[in-house]
Each structure stands twice: as structure tokens, then as C-alpha cells.
Amino acid sequence: MTACAIEGGSAGAATTADPEAEPEPEEPTEPAGEAEEDREAGQAREARGDGEPEASSTGADARPHTDDAPPPGGFTLTADGAYAARLTAATGPPGERAWYPERWTLDGPEPYAVPLPLDQPEEPDSQVAPLADGRVLIRRRVAGRQMFSLLYPTGPGTGELLLGAVECAEMTLLPPSPDGRCVYALAAGEHHASLWRVAGGAFGPEEVARIPGRCSGGVWLDRAGRILALDRQEPGGGPVKAVAVDLGRQGEVTPLLQIAPGSDDRLLLADADSGLLLLRSDAPGHDRLGWGVLGSCLPVRFPECLRLADVAVTPFAVQPGQMLMPESCAVALRIDGAQGSWVGVWRPAGRQLHQFAAPLGWVPGAGYWSRDGVLRLPYANGATPCGVALLGAPEDVEPSSATGRTGGGEGGAESGTEPSGAVATPSVCKPVPLGQAPLHRAARPD
């Protein structure tokens, strides 16, 4: 199935996403694939008589910092949403913070966090990324070099496996590979970018591709972790275009987005099951959010309902499992305005943007979908050091021919939401004439 959409629709009714009710404290159940070190950590908790999840307290020197300032480095999830990692702060003298890594386990009956502090606090510019086996990769900058290690819980402490270093002043971790084993990092240079596999290789960090031009971004296009999309500017300058890098062919680069000759076309998000692509381009005359389908020859669409005044809208999660049905995928969007950050939900076929308040302590842009359309939003605040709010994808309601208004979507009992009753007047439907905007395949089959 290919996708074809006409811009239009309006924002649906706003509702509030309340965090799910907290269960009674109990010992969290480890998933079947949990690392052996985590089992040892659980036995240590039982020996102490502490039955609460480890996130509730990390000792006098490492309790979570609960002010409103966001942690550095964001909140990184594995591709399947089973684990997450972030830097968090321990309490200390006023005005001083001691940062340490923290791993969240999200695929069990109750989410819980495991602190991973070492003898010295981490620098706030360090980056962390979780692996499918429960270990956490950390990137540190030390004297002009990038140092990489794997952290894991071991009894009451933290184990560390040194992976190696790269002689480079700046590197950025990319989203964890969908295979769950590998993590890649991008070193952007003036004339070329180096792509490094910093975890999952046989001999520590290794350079796997060198791409001409200035590169940024990083979106996986397949489930195997072979095809990576990057936003690239040619060495001589010019517009930014998304390209696909085939790691199975020594970093072969092929065009991915070519909407207009002089437009900046960046890929923001992709779903391997449906082929849905979320992108940002100035081809319509200024930066707009658009969508298309991988391999389709139909033009990219720029929905009017995603064009909001005085706010920034950024997609961060796509509903998986919608095989060959990209128009039916629910997309979660981060909305940033003067009042803060909140959540939007949209489907290409529905042409409506539903807006929801975020749970208190949500790290903006962190979340993942279940296959049945439930959005999970991790959050932490003074009352809940590790929680997940559930939000059911609302149904899109067709505009009423009598009133010309669009009804608000209802969250359902399982989502913990309440409709607000707000309605919005739909904008005029208008097609975008971008007939010369095909999306090329990322890679030809072997």
C-alpha cells in the first residue's frame, strides 16, 4: 500500500494524560533476558530487607535530584522500549550537582530504576545509551579523546567494562541500533563524517564508514540495524539532504529525500514496519513537518494540522506493527511552547492533532508505542522516582457537516485520560502541489 494524503484537518479536543496509579511497593520482577548482575542486585536488596524498587533510594550520596531542571543528555530508550538510560543528579551542597548514570527497566510489571554510580561523578556532557542485555554504554570526553565503557549493576555497586577510546574532539551517540547489541557514534568533520561502532564490535570502537560532507541526525530504517539515514550537506555546501548509509556495503551512500533541488530535507523519524517517514523540509517555502512512505513515488505531504502558531512540533515515536499501513500509524509529537512542553497524537489518515498534557516530570520527547496503540511516557518527580504514564491513542472523528467542527478524541478508560470538551474550527483543506517529490528506496536488495 502506498500513501496519499491531502493537507487539512484541525487540532482535536485537548485532554489530560494523568500518570497511572502507583502500585503498592513490591519487589520488581526481572524480565527473562535480564543480565545476571541484575539478579545479584535483587538478591542484595532482599538481604537488606528492602523490597522497594531501587529507584526509590540510592543512598545518602545518590538520591535523585527532584528540581525542575532537565538532566543533561536526555533520556535514551532501546528500540523495543524495554530499557532506558539517563544521567541524573545526587543531592549535594547547594548549587552543586553530582551526575551519575541510571538505567530504567520498563518491560516488567512495574517500572523501576537502577542507579549506576562510580567512585567519581560524571561530567554533564557525558552521554549514555542502553543495550538490550541491560548494560549501559557511556561516552566520556577526556583530554580531547572519547572514552567508552559499559556499566552494569553488580551486587551493591557498579561494574565497568572499558571498551576503548577514539582520538576525536567531538562525537555524538546515535540512537541505539534496533538489533539491541550495537551503538554507533558520529564524528562530524569539516569535509567528511566518520561513523564509529563503539559497542557491539569484536575489538572495541571501530570506524565503519566515512561519509563525504557534513552529517547530522541519525534514524534507523530497518530492524536489522543495517540501513542508517543521516542528514548530509555536500562538502562544497548547498542544501541539506537525507541520505541512506548501508553498513552492509561498507557505508554505501544513496539519496533518500530529494523534494526540491534547493530545499533542506531532513529525516526526523522512520518506522520499519509500515515504511512511514516523518521529515522536515522548507520545500513549501518555509520549514514544515511532512510525511511520506519509504519506496513510494507519491509526493510528500505537509499536513496543515501540524502547522501550529508560536510552538515547535517534533515527532518522537511511531506506533509499530502496522505492516503496510503507514496511514494508520499513530505518531507521538512533542509540542514546545511558552507554557512548556506537552504531547500531541496524530495519524496521517486522520488529519487531526490531538493534544494532551504531559505527566509531571516527563522528559520531553521520551516515549514509545505499544503495537496496540498505547503511548508510554516515562516520567520522574518528587512523588514517583520512576513511573510510566499510559495514553491510549484517541480515535479520529470526522468533521460534522452540520457544525463544521471536529470532535475531540476520547482516551478510553485504560489510558487514564479525561476529555476536556475543547473544540477547534478546522482549517481549509488544501493540497500541496509537490508532484516532483519522490522518496527513493534506501537500498536495493542484495
Side-chain angles (χ1 to χ4, degrees):
M1 180 183 295
T2 57
C4 179
I6 295 178
E7 286 191 333
S10 68
T15 61
T16 301
D18 296 324
E20 62 182 328
E22 290 187 53
E24 291 296 323
E26 62 180 2
E27 182 69 21
T29 302
E30 299 288 349
E34 189 71 24
E36 185 63 29
E37 293 85 358
D38 283 6
R39 298 191 184 94
E40 296 174 0
Q43 294 170 359
R45 288 199 308 273
E46 293 179 359
R48 296 194 305 267
D50 179 8
E52 294 193 2
E54 292 191 42
S56 62
S57 175
T58 60
D61 297 332
R63 289 190 298 272
H65 195 80
T66 57
D67 64 11
D68 294 332
F75 188 96
T76 305
L77 289 150
T78 55
D80 60 1
Y83 292 106
R86 67 169 185 167
L87 289 182
T88 191
T91 55
E96 297 183 11
R97 296 183 181 181
W99 298 103
Y100 66 92
E102 184 178 71
R103 193 208 67 198
W104 289 32
T105 299
L106 302 173
D107 63 346
E110 177 187 351
Y112 67 97
V114 177
L116 297 172
L118 294 171
D119 295 336
Q120 293 183 339
E122 305 293 344
E123 294 295 327
D125 63 349
S126 300
Q127 286 184 287
V128 292
L131 300 181
D133 60 6
R135 294 181 296 177
V136 172
L137 174 78
I138 184 167
R139 178 201 62 80
R140 304 181 180 100
R141 182 169 55 186
V142 180
R145 297 190 303 166
Q146 307 297 319
M147 306 287 295
F148 297 93
S149 297
L150 289 175
L151 306 179
Y152 53 93
T154 171
T158 301
E160 180 175 18
L161 175 62
L162 300 178
L163 296 178
V166 176
E167 294 285 347
C168 180
E170 297 289 341
M171 291 188 83
T172 301
L173 291 184
L174 298 180
S177 171
D179 65 9
R181 300 183 301 102
C182 299
V183 180
Y184 293 82
L186 187 67
E190 189 66 28
H191 303 290
H192 71 272
S194 295
L195 183 64
W196 289 75
R197 180 168 52 216
V198 296
F203 306 103
E206 56 181 324
E207 188 179 28
V208 295
R210 187 166 289 192
I211 304 103
R214 298 179 62 89
C215 294
S216 59
V219 176
W220 293 102
L221 299 179
D222 65 339
R223 293 291 183 193
R226 170 175 169 174
I227 309 297
L228 176 68
L230 295 172
D231 301 326
R232 183 183 69 162
Q233 184 181 45
E234 294 284 353
V240 177
K241 301 289 185 182
V243 298
V245 181
D246 190 341
L247 302 183
R249 291 181 174 169
Q250 292 76 49
E252 178 185 83
V253 177
T254 56
L256 181 64
L257 293 178
Q258 299 283 348
I259 298 180
S263 62
D264 290 330
D265 309 322
R266 294 178 170 88
L267 185 64
L268 304 179
L269 209 59
D271 176 59
D273 294 335
S274 64
L276 179 65
L277 303 179
L278 282 303
L279 57 101
R280 187 180 300 278
S281 174
D282 59 5
H286 55 276
D287 269 347
R288 294 279 299 274
L289 279 181
W291 70 278
V293 180
L294 188 65
S296 172
C297 291
L298 295 177
V300 172
R301 305 295 176 173
F302 296 90
E304 192 68 25
C305 66
L306 300 183
R307 184 183 180 185
L308 304 182
D310 301 323
V311 299
V313 181
T314 307
F316 65 88
V318 180
Q319 180 185 359
Q322 309 302 297
M323 303 299 295
L324 304 179
M325 295 190 298
E327 304 96 329
S328 301
C329 291
V331 179
L333 304 110
R334 166 184 173 175
I335 306 176
D336 298 300
Q339 294 77 28
S341 301
W342 59 99
V343 181
V345 176
W346 164 81
R347 291 185 184 88
R351 297 182 294 176
Q352 299 178 40
L353 176 62
H354 306 267
Q355 300 184 49
F356 302 86
L360 180 64
W362 176 55
V363 179
Y368 58 101
W369 287 98
S370 66
R371 289 177 174 264
D372 55 355
V374 177
L375 179 62
R376 300 174 181 268
L377 301 171
Y379 69 95
N381 54 46
T384 307
C386 178
V388 176
L390 305 182
L391 176 64
E395 295 294 330
D396 294 314
V397 180
E398 291 295 328
S400 170
S401 59
T403 64
R405 291 176 176 266
T406 301
E410 297 181 358
E414 73 279 2
S415 68
T417 64
E418 296 180 359
S420 71
V423 293
T425 303
S427 57
V428 178
C429 296
K430 182 176 67 175
V432 177
L434 289 178
Q436 303 300 319
L439 292 169
H440 300 282
R441 289 190 181 276
R444 58 186 181 273
D446 288 329

